[in-house]
C-alpha cells in the first residue's frame, strides 16, 4: 500500500514541479515588457558604448591636425605583446636644431590584448581608447594601423602662466 | 584485452570500445578531450587529455614585468578574472610590504564577489543546458548581463578586465559603482527564486543529479579538489575563511558546506554561494570608505627581492595558488600557478565509473570546468 502511495505522490509531485517551472516561463511568455534582447545590427543607430569602453587605441588630433605624441617610446616598452611600434625622425625646430619627432605610430590591433598599459603610462596623454568595436575585416593587414594622421605635427605646449 | 601496468586490473575487454568525447563536444565547455571506455552505454573509465589550448602562460610570465603579467592571468580562468589578477597583485604587494588603501581592499572584495556571482550565473546556465534544460541558458545570461554592465561602465570591458594591478587598481571605479551594486543585489534577490522554480525543484533535474557522481571527502582531499566542488563533499577549503586576504577577515559570511558529495550537492553549494556573495556585497557597500584614492605609491618598475613568494586566493572554482621565484630582476625567474580546475578535472575518472555516458556530462557540468585554466 505504501509503495502505491509513494508511486502516485512521486508522479503528482513531479508534474507539479514541472508546472511550477512552466509558470515561470509562461509569465515571461505573456509579458512582452520583460524582453531584454537587443536587436543588433538593427539598433546600430541607437547603440551607445560606455564612456570607458576599450575599443581600440586611438590618437586624438585637434582641428589643426596636431597631436600630443612626442615619440618617447614608453608605450612601446610597456606593451606586453609588441603591438605598438614607433618610428621617429629628426626634424628641425624654430632655432634650426634637429629634434626627435614621431614619424609613424604603428598599432597592430591583431596583437592587442587591451591591457591598457600603454594608455596608463603615456606621459603626455597622447593616446586614448576609441569606441569603435566592429573590427572584422577581410584582410589581416588592415588591422595594422598608423595612428598619427599624415601631415600631422606635435602640438606646442602652452606656456605655463 | 588490456591491463593496467601497475595494478594488473583488466581495464578493457575485447567487446568494449573507446570513444573520444571532445575536443569539440559542447558539454566539455572548451577543448577538453575525454577518452571514454564504454561497455554499451556504461562508462568503464575516463582518461582526460589536455593541452589543446596550452599557451605557455607560465613561460610567457618569465619574459614580462610584474605589471604586464596581470593581463595574462586574466586569460587563465576567464570567468574569475578579478581573482586571478588579485592573486598576482597580492603576491607583489606582500613581497614588497606595500599597504594598499582601505578603499582599494573593499573595491577588490566587491569585484571578487560580483565576479563570483557572474561565474556562477554562467555555470548555472550551462549546467542546465548540459542536462537538456535550454531555458536556463537565457535566464542565467539575462542576470549575468546586469553584472557585465557594471563591469563595462567601470573598466570598459566585460570579461577580461586587467583591472586589479600591483599597488591598487588601474583607475578609479565609476561614480555609480556603489549604486549599481545595490541595484543589482535588489534585482537578483527577486530573480533567484525563479532559479529554484525552474531547475532546482524540477523532478527531471533532481533525478539526474541526486546520487550521481558521489565524491567522498577522502577523494576530494586526495585529489586536492577545492572550491564549491570540494565543499559539496564536506571538505572545508574556503581560502577566504582559512587564510583570509584583503578585507575578508572583517566581513561576516558563512562557508557553504554540503556533505553528500553528489552532483546535486555541488549544485546547491553554488546556489547558496550566490546568496552569500550577495550578503557580502551588501556589507561591502555599507562599509566602503568614501574617497578617490585607488592606488598605493609604487615605483614604476617593480623588482621583487631575491627569494620565493607564495599567495593563495579563492576563485569561483577553487583555490588558485601563485608561486614565484625571483632573482631580484624585474622579471620573475619562475612563475607557477596551481589552478583549481586541473585537480577538479581528474576526479572524473573516479566519479564517472560505472555510470551512463549521459551522467558523465552531468558530472563534468557539476564540476564547473574551465579548460583554459587547466592548460594555461
Amino acid at each position: 500500500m505504501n509503495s502505491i502511495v509513494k508511486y502516485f505522490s512521486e508522479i503528482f509531485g513531479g508534474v507539479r514541479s514541472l508546472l511550477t517551472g512552466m509558470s515561470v516561463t509562461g509569465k515571461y511568455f505573456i509579458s512582452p515588457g520583460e524582453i531584454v534582447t537587443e536587436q543588433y545590427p538593427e539598433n546600430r543607430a541607437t547603440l551607445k558604448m560606455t564612456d570607458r569602453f576599450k575599443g581600440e587605441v586611438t590618437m586624438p588630433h585637434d582641428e589643426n591636425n596636431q597631436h600630443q605624441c612626442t615619440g618617447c617610446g614608453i608605450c612601446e616598452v610597456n606593451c606586453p605583446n609588441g603591438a605598438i611600434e614607433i618610428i621617429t625622425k629628426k626634424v628641425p625646430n624654430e632655432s634650426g636644431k634637429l629634434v626627435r619627432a614621431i614619424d609613424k605610430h604603428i598599432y597592430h590591433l591583431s596583437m592587442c590584448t587591451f591591457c591598457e598599459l600603454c594608455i596608463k603610462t603615456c606621459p603626455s596623454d597622447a593616446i586614448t581608447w576609441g569606441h569603435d568595436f566592429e573590427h572584422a575585416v577581410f584582410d589581416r593587414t588592415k588591422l595594422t594601423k598608423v595612428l598619427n594622421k599624415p601631415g600631422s605635427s606635435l602640438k606646442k605646449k602652452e606656456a605655463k602662466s | 584485452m588490456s591491463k593496467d601496468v601497475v595494478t594488473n586490473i583488466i581495464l578493457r575487454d575485447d567487446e568494449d570500445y573507446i570513444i573520444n568525447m571532445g575536443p569539440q563536444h559542447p558539454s566539455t565547455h572548451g577543448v577538453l578531450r575525454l577518452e571514454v571506455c564504454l561497455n554499451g552505454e556504461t562508462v568503464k573509465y575516463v582518461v582526460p587529455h589536455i593541452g589543446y589550448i596550452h599557451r605557455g602562460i607560465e613561460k610567457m610570465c618569465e619574459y614580462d614585468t610584474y605589471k604586464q603579467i596581470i593581463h595574462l592571468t586574466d586569460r587563465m580562468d576567464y570567468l574569475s578574472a578579478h581573482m586571478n589578477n588579485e592573486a598576482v597583485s597580492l603576491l607583489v604587494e606582500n613581497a614588497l610590504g606595500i599597504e594598499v588603501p582601505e578603499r582599494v581592499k573593499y573595491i577588490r572584495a566587491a569585484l571578487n564577489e560580483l565576479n563570483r556571482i557572474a561565474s556562477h550565473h554562467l555555470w548555472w546556465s550551462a549546467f542546465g543546458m548540459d542536462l537538456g534544460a535550454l531555458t536556463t541558458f537565457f535566464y542565467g545570461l539575462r542576470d549575468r548581463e546586469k553584472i557585465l554592465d557594471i563591469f563595462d561602465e567601470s573598466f570598459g570591458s566585460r570579461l577580461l578586465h586587467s583591472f586589479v594591478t600591483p599597488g591598487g587598481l588601474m583607475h578609479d571605479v565609476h561614480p555609480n559603482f556603489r549604486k549599481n551594486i545595490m541595484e543589482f543585489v535588489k534585482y537578483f534577490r527577486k530573480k533567484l527564486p525563479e532559479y529554484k522554480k525552474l531547475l532546482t525543484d524540477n523532478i527531471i533535474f533532481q533525478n539526474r543529479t541526486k546520487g550521481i557522481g558521489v565524491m567522498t571527502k577522502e577523494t576530494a582531499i586526495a585529489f586536492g579538489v577545492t572550491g564549491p566542488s570540494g565543499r559539496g563533499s564536506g571538505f572545508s577549503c574556503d581560502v577566504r575563511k582559512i587564510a583570509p586576504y584583503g578585507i575578508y577577515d572583517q566581513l561576516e559570511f558563512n562557508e557553504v558546506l554540503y556533505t553528500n558529495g553528489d552532483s546535486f550537492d555541488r549544485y546547491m553549494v553554488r546556489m547558496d554561494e550566490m546568496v552569500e556573495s550577495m550578503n557580502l556585497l551588501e556589507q561591502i557597500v555599507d562599509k566602503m570608505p568614501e574617497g578617490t584614492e585607488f592606488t598605493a605609491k609604487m615605483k614604476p618598475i617593480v623588482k621583487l627581492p631575491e627569494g620565493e613568494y607564495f599567495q593563495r586566493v579563492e576563485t569561483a572554482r577553487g583555490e588558485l595558488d601563485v608561486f614565484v621565484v625571483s632573482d631580484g630582476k624585474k622579471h620573475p625567474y619562475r612563475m607557477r600557478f596551481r589552478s583549481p580546475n586541473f585537480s577538479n578535472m581528474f576526479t572524473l575518472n573516479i566519479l564517472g565509473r560505472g555510470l551512463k555516458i549521459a551522467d558523465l556530462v552531468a558530472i563534468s557540468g557539476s564540476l564547473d570546468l574551465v579548460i583554459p585554466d587547466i592548460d594555461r
Side-chain angles (χ1 to χ4, degrees):
Chain A
M1 188 64 198
N2 254 344
S3 60
I4 297 172
V5 172
K6 198 178 162 217
Y7 176 76
F8 280 105
S9 68
E10 259 181 26
I11 287 181
F12 287 115
V15 169
R16 199 191 312 123
S17 78
L18 294 182
L19 289 176
T20 320
M22 282 175 76
S23 72
V24 175
T25 48
K27 198 185 85 195
Y28 285 105
F29 184 66
I30 53 169
S31 53
E34 300 267 0
I35 292 174
V36 290
T37 320
E38 287 181 26
Q39 297 295 330
Y40 179 81
E42 283 83 358
N43 67 347
R44 242 190 204 150
T46 54
L47 190 65
K48 201 173 169 299
M49 291 292 124
T50 49
D51 292 341
R52 298 180 179 182
F53 181 71
K54 296 177 187 174
E56 57 178 339
V57 176
T58 53
M59 188 182 285
H61 288 64
D62 64 0
E63 64 276 6
N64 302 328
N65 202 13
Q66 286 182 328
H67 57 75
Q68 294 179 40
C69 181
T70 56
C72 62
I74 288 179
C75 51
E76 190 180 10
V77 173
N78 271 290
C79 182
N81 313 303
I84 294 176
E85 276 176 64
I86 288 172
I87 300 169
T88 52
K89 62 184 176 190
K90 298 270 185 191
V91 288
N93 63 356
E94 296 109 354
S95 53
K97 203 178 159 193
L98 285 175
V99 291
R100 192 165 72 156
I102 188 165
D103 184 21
K104 272 179 183 170
H105 188 294
I106 301 171
Y107 168 57
H108 300 276
L109 179 58
S110 50
M111 289 192 221
C112 183
T113 48
F114 305 96
C115 66
E116 214 177 345
L117 282 174
C118 52
I119 289 168
K120 178 92 176 157
T121 51
C122 181
S124 44
D125 295 333
I127 44 178
T128 175
W129 287 119
H131 289 189
D132 188 17
F133 60 93
E134 290 165 326
H135 292 311
V137 285
F138 282 105
D139 189 358
R140 198 176 62 171
T141 54
K142 283 181 187 157
L143 291 173
T144 301
K145 300 176 180 182
V146 179
L147 293 189
N148 54 329
K149 287 179 186 164
S152 59
S153 59
L154 178 64
K155 197 180 195 169
K156 296 275 179 314
K157 268 189 188 164
E158 286 165 21
K160 279 177 188 169
S161 55
Chain B
M1 193 182 289
S2 74
K3 287 183 175 178
D4 192 315
V5 191
V6 183
T7 56
N8 221 23
I9 297 169
I10 297 170
L11 287 176
R12 183 161 60 86
D13 289 327
D14 288 336
E15 62 265 31
D16 298 341
Y17 55 94
I18 289 180
I19 62 159
N20 284 312
M21 204 168 130
Q24 270 79 37
H25 195 280
S27 82
T28 55
H29 298 224
V31 278
L32 171 68
R33 177 158 75 94
L34 297 174
E35 181 191 323
V36 191
C37 178
L38 294 174
N39 181 4
E41 214 183 338
T42 311
V43 178
K44 286 196 119 176
Y45 64 82
V46 185
V47 183
H49 290 269
I50 59 171
Y52 286 89
I53 191 164
H54 175 69
R55 294 148 294 174
I57 284 182
E58 285 175 8
K59 191 71 186 168
M60 279 155 83
C61 288
E62 291 171 18
Y63 298 94
D64 280 351
T65 63
Y66 290 98
K67 285 192 174 178
Q68 289 173 339
I69 284 169
I70 295 296
H71 91 287
L72 290 172
T73 59
D74 270 355
R75 284 154 176 86
M76 297 195 312
D77 185 353
Y78 48 78
L79 289 177
S80 35
H82 280 301
M83 293 86 136
N84 294 354
N85 292 351
E86 195 178 358
V88 178
S89 303
L90 281 173
L91 182 135
V92 173
E93 283 154 16
N94 291 346
L96 295 174
I98 291 168
E99 184 68 29
V100 295
E102 197 81 342
R103 184 165 176 266
V104 172
K105 289 183 184 174
Y106 275 101
I107 291 175
R108 281 180 180 180
L111 297 177
N112 283 355
E113 296 313 316
L114 279 175
N115 217 170
R116 195 182 313 278
I117 297 177
S119 167
H120 287 345
H121 275 151
L122 190 71
W123 158 80
W124 183 79
S125 317
F127 189 38
M129 208 167 65
D130 284 347
L131 299 174
L134 192 68
T135 320
T136 61
F137 198 76
F138 301 113
Y139 284 58
L141 288 196
R142 175 196 66 193
D143 298 337
R144 180 169 175 260
E145 199 67 23
K146 301 274 176 196
I147 298 179
L148 295 190
D149 282 346
I150 300 177
F151 288 166
D152 200 0
E153 197 173 36
S154 273
F155 334 129
S157 50
R158 289 152 55 90
L159 196 65
L160 308 169
H161 326 98
S162 319
F163 186 65
V164 180
T165 59
L169 307 170
M170 208 70 176
H171 45 74
D172 200 6
V173 290
H174 198 271
N176 288 343
F177 187 64
R178 194 191 291 240
K179 198 186 88 198
N180 286 344
I181 292 180
M182 286 314 285
E183 271 175 14
F184 167 74
V185 172
K186 210 174 141 197
Y187 166 85
F188 190 50
R189 278 204 195 283
K190 241 182 338 190
K191 294 290 181 191
L192 198 58
E194 276 183 6
Y195 287 30
K196 186 169 154 49
K197 280 184 197 168
L198 262 178
L199 197 63
T200 315
D201 286 348
N202 189 302
I203 183 82
I204 303 168
F205 173 76
Q206 291 203 353
N207 286 347
R208 283 206 54 191
T209 49
K210 275 190 179 166
I212 299 295
V214 178
M215 191 194 318
T216 57
K217 192 176 175 183
E218 287 73 32
T219 315
I221 293 172
F223 277 79
V225 178
T226 47
S229 309
R231 290 198 281 279
S233 308
F235 173 30
S236 170
C237 55
D238 197 331
V239 182
R240 295 174 292 171
K241 277 278 183 205
I242 56 179
Y245 55 94
I247 209 71
Y248 280 114
D249 48 349
Q250 297 173 30
L251 301 171
E252 280 176 30
F253 64 104
N254 298 321
E255 184 177 1
V256 185
L257 277 181
Y258 278 77
T259 47
N260 288 339
D262 54 1
S263 297
F264 188 74
D265 274 16
R266 288 195 283 276
Y267 171 89
M268 284 312 291
V269 169
R270 293 197 174 88
M271 297 305 278
D272 288 0
E273 263 195 6
M274 287 204 242
V275 181
E276 283 300 324
S277 289
M278 282 194 289
N279 292 342
L280 273 171
L281 278 174
E282 281 175 342
Q283 292 178 41
I284 290 164
V285 170
D286 283 346
K287 289 183 181 174
M288 195 197 287
E290 296 282 344
T292 53
E293 51 176 354
F294 59 87
T295 179
K297 272 203 171 139
M298 267 188 105
K299 286 178 188 165
I301 294 172
V302 183
K303 283 182 184 170
L304 294 198
E306 211 166 307
E308 297 174 353
Y309 305 97
F310 179 72
Q311 179 66 45
R312 57 203 297 212
V313 296
E314 176 84 10
T315 72
R317 255 152 286 277
E319 178 180 336
L320 175 79
D321 297 348
V322 190
F323 182 68
V324 167
V325 180
S326 171
D327 54 356
K329 298 206 177 80
K330 60 180 181 177
H331 313 293
Y333 177 76
R334 174 81 170 92
M335 193 138 192
R336 160 87 186 140
F337 295 101
R338 181 257 182 222
S339 67
N341 289 300
F342 185 81
S343 318
N344 293 2
M345 179 191 57
F346 281 98
T347 55
L348 272 178
N349 192 14
I350 305 284
L351 304 185
R353 275 184 189 175
L355 297 172
K356 299 282 184 276
I357 193 156
D359 294 332
L360 192 65
V361 174
I363 294 165
S364 80
S366 74
L367 288 174
D368 192 12
L369 302 174
V370 167
I371 312 303
D373 192 30
I374 297 171
D375 292 344
R376 294 193 290 281

